[in-house]
Amino acid sequence: MKQRRYALITSVLLSIKIEAQPPEVRVIFEKSCYSCHGPAMQSANLRLDVQPDKAIVPGDAAGSVLYQRITGAGDAARMPLGGKPLDAGQIAAIKKWIDELKAPRRHWAFTPPVRAAMPNVSNPGWVRNPIDAFVLVKLDAEKMKPSAEADRTTQLRRLSLDLIGLPPSPEEIDAFLNDRSANAYEKQVDRLLASPHYGEKWARMWLDAARYADSDGYEKDKQRSVWFYRDWVIQALNRDMPYNEFVIEQIAGDLLPNATQDQMVATGFLRNSMVNEEGGIDPEQFRMEAMFDRMDAIGKGILGLTIQCAQCHNHKYDPIKQEDYYRMLAFLNSTHEANVAVYTPAEQMKRADVFRQIREIEGTLQHHNAGWENRMIQWEERVSANLPQWSVITPDVDDESTGGQRYIPQKDGSFLAAGYAPTKHTVKLKVKTDVKNITAFRLELLNDPNLPLNGPGRSIQGACALTEFEAEVAGKKVKFAKATADFNQPEKDLEAIFNDNTSRHRVTGPIEYAIDGKDDTAWGIDAGPGRRNQPRNAVFVLEKPISEGEFTIRLKQNHGGWNSDDNQNNNLGRFRLSITTAAGAEADPVPAGVRAILKIPREKRTPDQAQTVFSYWHTTVPEWKDENAKIEALWAQHPEGSAQLALKNREDGRETHVLMRGDFLKPAAIVTPGVPEFLNPLPKGVAPTRLTFAKWLVDPKTPTTARSIVNRVWQAYFGAGIVATAENFGTQCEPPTHPELLDWMAVEFMENGWSLKKLQRLIVTSATYRQASTVTPDALARDPYNTLLARGPRFRVDAEIVRDIELKASGLLNEKVGGPSVYPPAPDFLFQPPVSYGPKNWFEDKGENRYRRALYTFRYRSVPYPMLQTFDAPNGDSSCVRRSRSNTPLQALTTLNEPFAMEAARALALKTLRDGGRTDAERLAYAFQRCVARRPTGEESRELLAFLEKQTSRMREGWVDIWGLTGEPPKLPEGSNPLQFGAWTALSRVLLNLDETITKE
């Protein structure tokens, strides 16, 4: 069985080898060599089931290391090592094979594409552009003819669904049918390419590859804010950003000179990986899982290669070594898992206005107060003198006290909280020190790029709350004389709060709340938008000094999960503890950023640094209280903004190891950043950064990148790619149906500025695309899957477009582009145990957001939106570049009975009665056209009008509950009645559920 498996592997690998091994040679290798040099093991990096480049010189057995070793020539040990030597017949067979070998042949996809010459065809008059010539020459070879051109209505509906994902309106259809100019079709193409809905339609294809979802995945599957990335993709496509720039910004936008917010947001492509915060996890394990996922997304989504196979071992089929895999991973490994604040254009304008007004006030203060520089220097000297000396302590964390949260020691003596985030816990820190007579403790809350919005806390806003700071010596709690902090939230009226039976009795306020012995109060650091995410420090002065060398500190954190309807935490994110023997220690009121500037000699400070010092100092000047109050009021207007997962480079890089079997606990050799040489090398003399890697991915010499995206665009139009395995251009891929066409389009794409819109204009203006989709019995028998493209595409639209067609046809569609994800109707039980792990929020929209395009539907990974899942939408667990397309009874049940489908039917009925005409025949033609673009045939009209009459009669006779079908009665048009509305609602259900309605013809 083992030999049969090896034989199968060998046989499928022959396409990338020099020439097929003769059976007698393959048998020798299987029996005598594969145990050390086969798929499972490659001693000396030699593998004989693929091309052994280093061991064989084609045509020269005597000069080949392989032949020398099996014959025992030279001083090296004879092979097979430790096994029975090959006999003369076996050696002769191998010698004959090597001597007859020719030069190696590379797999077609591993050489850069070359523009093929235009073929001669039988009917040049049919050819509208070069695409058609490549298609027609294949049809000529099969003695088949292309189909006639589709009628104009079909062409416009197909074009509209393909370019913007929405059916054309009756007005758009009529305008096209009435336009008799020679370029009428091309004008429609340009109109649709310019539509803001173009980006919405084509973003979905990319978001599948980007694993986009609105939640973390895994057990907790918490909500995340990443819609800025989705909107960046939409707008990039609408602007027709060159695809090479599109890729570079997503891999390394943060490393571009003067990176913009958009370029930071773009790196969300790599950050879309799932995040695991289950209890007891090792954060490093799931950081590496995210790294593997990013590699998979780059492999499938950009290179079109299954590089993930090399995570655990050398690729079985393609020449990707495990070392190659980890060398590519090394480009991505030295990054922070960042979560940054981002702002909409309106919010950016508001921020700019706030900062402008603050600068004006500060400028006025400087202008009207001569000598302010000397006063600030005197202040600086005062606050820099007689600072207490603090010694950082590195306690041991009692793992049983963390509630499952990990506290990871950092080089500066701080701890970074990671992994599971309990909403309530008290971490116990055991301290041993030689310092005697400790008078105070200092707690520093520090920023970290891996925390939400840079921290210093773990709440979704990067804030935190300390319920109690406790110290214990010899099993007894010590008392504190006082506590001070650099920031204090206003004190609350606790008596009023605790006497209020409706209150949750949990309050954040000044630092005193952290030593008041109450679990309902806590020191909070939320200074509001724009100033919330800053380092903070607090000092706790002991009533009596500690002389013992061992003591315990407890940080009680009970203020999570109480200020919202979810279970978000409010834990400390990164903190550091210090001790002092000085008397009268207090928290440093000077912000950490200002303190760092004060350590720089004044003459070496930049103007921005000097202004930063002034911006803090003026808040300490009593006579400027009015101006400071105005500035404080301006800060209150700072927009909240949103969060976005992004990448930031680490200042100190990580070592990258090859991981044995992909296990993060089994690091092996250290590797440096690099790429598989069989594709194309990195440019010489350039630092191997993530930006270098991004540019390499879209180098015209990288052979698969342009082919991959061109193939996926083609797949979206015709239902299957020229290479059917869109995720795999390696040696095991499906052979391309039109290889010359694929390469011609790839070169054309790159030479035309990597423009996706130009590529798509080329496709949709071809005669190939404009064919009718009607299939004859002969064509169906000879080419059932239309691989030869002798007819136009016909298949059910993607899940999101099914819903969007219903929205557009019914008139419900809210055409707003972008913004936070929305919550259309969904069953409540989906988001409650046992269906969901823990309750999940689903704030069903009641207004216009209810009718946004399906692209904007909030997506939980663990609870996919039912309608989208039913129609084969992926849920974002991993990169997907080729959706399945099923046909199940559940789909019909969904479009017939889902609450939204009923709303669409009612809306279409109402719109038809209002706008469809005076007679039932006119109204039927109107409603029918809204759904399928064309007018009904005579037979269809008779059938549907009979159905309408039957429904009206049944309702009149009480057989059907009108309002059970239609819900609360809307305001009907003059001359209409409830019976009509009910019957038209029933008929609208039929029209919206026609196969033709959700099919691209």
Side-chain angles (χ1 to χ4, degrees):
M1 186 67 184
K2 186 175 182 181
Q3 289 183 353
R4 287 178 59 193
R5 178 166 57 87
Y6 281 151
L8 175 61
I9 293 173
T10 301
S11 66
V12 297
L13 284 165
L14 295 180
S15 60
I16 67 167
K17 294 172 62 174
I18 25 189
E19 284 185 357
Q21 299 165 358
E24 61 273 18
V25 171
R26 188 163 64 246
V27 170
I28 296 169
F29 285 165
E30 290 171 0
K31 291 183 176 180
S32 301
C33 306
Y34 276 13
S35 60
C36 296
H37 304 289
M41 179 183 291
Q42 298 90 41
S43 295
N45 205 26
L46 174 64
R47 182 173 176 180
L48 295 178
D49 63 322
V50 297
Q51 178 176 325
D53 296 313
K54 298 177 182 179
I56 290 179
V57 179
D60 184 9
S64 299
V65 174
L66 175 66
Y67 182 75
Q68 294 166 3
R69 295 298 297 274
I70 64 173
T71 59
D75 297 330
R78 184 173 180 174
M79 292 291 155
L81 193 64
K84 181 181 177 181
L86 302 184
D87 60 34
Q90 292 172 317
I91 292 173
I94 293 174
K95 182 179 187 303
K96 181 176 181 292
W97 168 59
I98 297 175
D99 283 338
E100 294 178 354
L101 284 175
K102 299 176 182 177
R105 293 179 302 185
R106 300 188 72 188
H107 176 57
W108 66 269
F110 299 158
T111 60
V114 177
R115 187 189 292 272
M118 290 298 100
N120 295 318
V121 294
S122 61
N123 182 12
W126 182 76
V127 175
R128 289 181 178 271
N129 66 39
I131 288 176
D132 302 323
F134 289 106
V135 170
L136 188 55
V137 74
K138 294 276 286 188
L139 292 174
D140 287 346
E142 297 294 326
K143 295 183 171 48
M144 295 179 67
K145 294 184 180 298
S147 298
E149 189 169 285
D151 65 80
R152 300 188 87 195
T153 299
T154 300
Q155 286 188 47
L156 183 60
R157 187 172 194 268
R158 178 190 298 172
L159 190 66
S160 188
L161 290 175
D162 274 340
L163 289 181
I164 66 172
L166 296 170
S169 67
E171 294 76 18
E172 290 167 341
I173 295 167
D174 291 343
F176 178 50
L177 294 178
N178 293 329
D179 184 351
R180 291 299 167 185
S181 60
N183 64 339
Y185 180 82
E186 286 74 12
K187 286 191 288 186
Q188 294 298 318
V189 172
D190 293 337
R191 174 182 67 83
L192 293 168
L193 284 172
S195 168
H197 300 306
Y198 165 85
E200 292 178 314
K201 163 61 168 65
W202 286 91
R204 187 66 259 166
M205 180 188 79
W206 187 258
L207 293 174
D208 281 0
R211 306 94 68 221
Y212 178 85
D214 296 291
S215 70
D216 286 346
Y218 292 112
E219 177 192 64
K220 296 290 182 289
D221 201 25
K222 288 165 48 181
Q223 291 193 353
R224 57 167 54 164
S225 176
V226 288
W227 58 270
F228 262 79
Y229 170 75
R230 180 202 61 214
D231 285 6
W232 177 86
V233 174
I234 294 171
Q235 296 306 328
L237 294 174
N238 275 337
R239 297 195 307 272
D240 198 21
M241 175 186 284
Y243 180 72
N244 55 348
E245 295 178 19
F246 183 71
V247 169
I248 288 171
E249 293 198 5
Q250 292 182 82
I251 303 299
D254 58 309
L255 300 183
L256 292 170
N258 302 311
T260 64
Q261 173 179 290
D262 277 354
Q263 289 167 336
M264 285 290 300
V265 167
T267 64
F269 170 76
L270 292 175
R271 288 300 321 281
N272 280 330
S273 306
M274 296 196 295
V275 174
N276 192 349
E277 291 188 355
E278 296 174 14
I281 67 162
D282 186 327
E284 178 61 14
Q285 175 186 357
F286 287 95
R287 189 189 74 83
M288 287 308 303
E289 291 293 338
M291 297 299 299
F292 298 151
D293 172 69
R294 291 164 196 172
M295 290 289 288
D296 183 51
I298 289 172
K300 291 177 181 174
I302 298 174
L303 289 172
L305 295 173
T306 56
I307 62 175
Q308 198 74 344
C309 297
Q311 174 186 324
C312 300
H313 48 70
N314 290 346
H315 202 294
K316 298 292 186 185
Y317 308 116
D318 296 335
I320 305 175
K321 299 174 183 176
Q322 190 182 22
E323 180 182 349
D324 291 335
Y325 178 87
Y326 285 98
R327 293 188 72 198
M328 286 192 286
L329 187 145
F331 285 112
L332 314 180
N333 200 23
S334 293
T335 57
H336 293 295
E337 307 290 291
N339 183 314
V340 300
V342 289
Y343 302 91
T344 65
E347 289 174 329
Q348 289 178 8
M349 291 177 64
K350 182 62 180 178
R351 290 183 80 222
D353 186 55
V354 167
F355 297 151
R356 177 188 59 77
Q357 292 185 66
I358 290 175
R359 285 194 298 270
E360 287 179 356
I361 295 172
E362 291 179 339
T364 301
L365 284 173
Q366 293 171 335
H367 181 71
H368 292 293
N369 291 276
W372 66 267
E373 296 98 329
N374 291 331
R375 292 181 64 187
M376 193 169 78
I377 290 172
Q378 293 171 4
W379 165 84
E380 179 179 335
E381 291 173 348
R382 287 197 306 272
V383 299
S384 299
N386 301 318
L387 293 175
Q389 296 297 311
W390 293 96
S391 300
V392 174
I393 55 177
T394 53
D396 294 326
V397 179
D398 180 353
D399 290 338
E400 295 183 2
S401 70
T402 65
Q405 186 167 239
R406 293 296 183 100
Y407 286 89
I408 303 173
Q410 305 296 298
K411 292 180 180 179
D412 63 354
S414 65
F415 288 95
L416 176 64
Y420 176 59
T423 55
K424 298 178 180 64
H425 78 294
T426 301
V427 62
K428 182 178 179 182
L429 306 167
K430 300 177 181 179
V431 182
K432 290 183 180 181
T433 179
D434 295 330
V435 178
K436 306 296 182 181
N437 297 315
I438 299 167
T439 58
F441 299 108
R442 182 178 67 180
L443 172 67
E444 295 174 274
L445 304 180
L446 306 174
N447 291 126
D448 193 282
N450 299 287
L451 295 172
L453 301 181
N454 211 34
R458 294 193 74 188
S459 80
I460 57 176
Q461 296 176 323
C464 56
L466 178 64
T467 306
E468 287 291 309
F469 185 98
E470 299 174 345
E472 185 180 281
V473 177
K476 294 183 179 180
K477 284 187 178 181
V478 298
K479 293 183 179 180
F480 294 103
K482 67 173 183 176
T484 56
D486 67 331
F487 174 79
N488 289 283
Q489 289 183 196
E491 189 168 2
K492 309 295 195 306
D493 185 347
L494 298 181
E495 184 176 355
I497 291 173
F498 294 146
N499 287 336
D500 181 359
N501 292 330
T502 65
S503 171
R504 299 193 182 189
H505 296 176
R506 292 204 182 145
V507 184
T508 54
I511 187 62
E512 288 81 6
Y513 285 3
I515 58 170
D516 63 1
K518 298 176 181 177
D519 283 352
D520 293 326
T521 60
W523 174 45
I525 64 163
D526 191 347
R531 298 185 295 176
R532 177 184 292 124
N533 306 110
Q534 298 182 26
R536 298 295 179 190
N537 74 95
V539 170
F540 303 89
V541 178
L542 292 157
E543 194 173 83
K544 296 180 181 179
I546 294 175
S547 57
E548 289 82 352
E550 295 186 18
F551 54 90
T552 299
I553 293 175
R554 287 185 172 86
L555 303 177
K556 186 176 289 187
Q557 300 158 75
N558 284 358
H559 276 61
W562 60 273
N563 58 352
S564 65
D565 292 327
D566 53 38
N567 62 350
Q568 296 290 341
N569 77 90
N570 207 17
N571 297 343
L572 310 186
R574 183 175 177 180
F575 64 88
R576 181 168 58 199
L577 291 165
S578 305
I579 54 177
T580 188
T581 58
E586 292 188 344
D588 187 354
V590 180
V594 175
R595 179 65 72 187
I597 295 173
L598 296 184
K599 294 178 181 179
I600 302 172
R602 278 188 289 275
E603 65 275 10
K604 293 185 178 180
R605 297 172 192 170
T606 66
D608 285 344
Q609 289 172 333
Q611 186 61 37
T612 298
V613 174
F614 177 80
S615 294
Y616 171 70
W617 171 68
H618 72 66
T619 67
T620 69
V621 181
E623 59 265 36
W624 293 348
K625 65 178 182 179
D626 291 341
E627 288 81 1
N628 289 330
K630 292 178 182 177
I631 290 175
E632 192 68 23
L634 286 169
W635 274 113
Q637 299 175 32
H638 190 287
E640 186 69 47
S642 301
Q644 171 61 51
L645 302 184
L647 285 183
K648 284 186 179 179
N649 246 27
R650 289 169 58 102
E651 293 180 359
D652 55 331
R654 284 190 179 96
E655 283 186 347
T656 301
H657 296 255
V658 173
L659 301 181
M660 301 302 294
R661 306 301 300 173
D663 187 341
F664 82 108
L665 295 175
K666 296 179 180 178
I670 295 175
V671 294
T672 56
V675 297
E677 292 294 332
F678 77 92
L679 291 174
N680 61 294
L682 289 170
K684 294 182 179 180
V686 179
T689 66
R690 184 159 36 92
L691 182 56
T692 305
F693 179 57
K695 292 179 178 179
W696 173 84
L697 287 169
V698 290
D699 189 310
K701 296 177 183 176
T702 302
T704 58
T705 298
R707 284 181 174 123
S708 173
I709 189 62
V710 165
N711 188 66
R712 280 166 55 202
V713 170
W714 188 271
Q715 173 182 267
Y717 281 107
F718 292 96
I722 294 174
V723 177
T725 50
E727 70 285 355
N728 182 13
F729 274 58
T731 61
Q732 296 302 290
C733 74
E734 291 274 345
T737 58
H738 298 75
E740 294 83 6
L741 171 58
L742 178 61
D743 281 9
W744 186 92
M745 285 197 298
V747 174
E748 179 77 3
F749 175 57
M750 291 186 285
E751 292 184 353
N752 276 278
W754 299 77
S755 168
L756 287 168
K757 284 190 176 181
K758 288 180 181 177
L759 170 66
Q760 293 181 76
R761 195 181 195 282
L762 187 70
I763 292 172
V764 300
T765 56
S766 68
T768 302
Y769 176 78
R770 295 171 67 171
Q771 295 177 95
S773 60
T774 307
V775 58
T776 65
D778 178 64
L780 184 63
R782 297 182 63 185
D783 186 17
Y785 299 108
N786 197 27
T787 56
L788 295 174
L789 302 168
R791 56 186 181 273
R794 185 188 188 281
F795 50 86
R796 194 208 72 221
V797 297
D798 285 339
E800 293 81 1
I801 310 304
V802 172
R803 187 172 190 272
D804 294 348
I805 288 173
E806 292 186 314
L807 284 168
K808 182 69 182 292
S810 64
L812 289 174
L813 179 65
N814 174 2
E815 296 193 9
K816 176 185 174 183
V817 176
S821 297
V822 298
Y823 301 86
D828 290 338
F829 73 86
L830 287 178
F831 310 106
Q832 303 297 326
V835 177
S836 169
Y837 176 88
K840 287 182 167 52
N841 293 328
W842 191 266
F843 308 108
E844 183 177 315
D845 285 301
K846 302 297 183 183
E848 62 180 8
N849 279 345
R850 190 180 183 91
Y851 306 117
R852 297 289 304 282
R853 293 192 68 168
L855 175 73
Y856 302 112
T857 297
F858 191 96
R859 298 196 176 201
Y860 278 114
R861 283 182 159 109
S862 65
V863 190
Y865 190 67
M867 179 267 164
L868 298 179
Q869 185 182 37
T870 300
F871 283 93
D872 308 312
N875 62 1
D877 286 358
S878 59
S879 182
C880 173
V881 295
R882 181 169 49 134
R883 289 189 180 188
S884 61
R885 186 174 285 112
S886 65
N887 187 357
T888 72
L890 281 177
Q891 294 168 352
L893 291 172
T894 297
T895 52
L896 274 171
N897 300 313
E898 193 195 44
F900 164 74
M902 294 299 300
E903 290 183 47
R906 289 193 289 270
L908 178 57
L910 188 61
K911 190 168 185 64
T912 300
L913 290 172
R914 285 175 176 165
D915 306 328
R918 301 182 62 85
T919 68
D920 284 343
E922 291 174 341
R923 292 167 179 163
L924 174 62
Y926 174 82
F928 195 91
Q929 188 179 35
R930 291 192 68 85
C931 293
V932 301
R934 65 179 178 85
R935 299 275 178 160
T937 65
E939 183 179 357
E940 289 169 334
S941 293
R942 288 189 293 274
E943 185 75 21
L944 291 171
L945 289 173
F947 174 84
L948 180 70
E949 178 58 33
K950 183 177 181 181
Q951 293 300 308
T952 305
S953 299
R954 296 185 70 192
M955 290 176 185
R956 185 180 296 114
E957 296 168 4
W959 285 94
V960 177
D961 179 359
I962 299 175
W963 305 125
L965 176 67
T966 62
E968 290 297 319
K971 184 178 180 181
L972 299 175
E974 185 177 352
S976 301
N977 59 62
L979 290 176
Q980 281 182 302
F981 176 63
W984 275 103
T985 298
L987 181 56
S988 296
R989 289 181 77 198
V990 172
L991 298 179
L992 291 171
N993 280 275
L994 294 173
D995 179 68
E996 189 176 344
T997 301
I998 61 172
T999 298
K1000 181 181 80 171
E1001 293 278 357

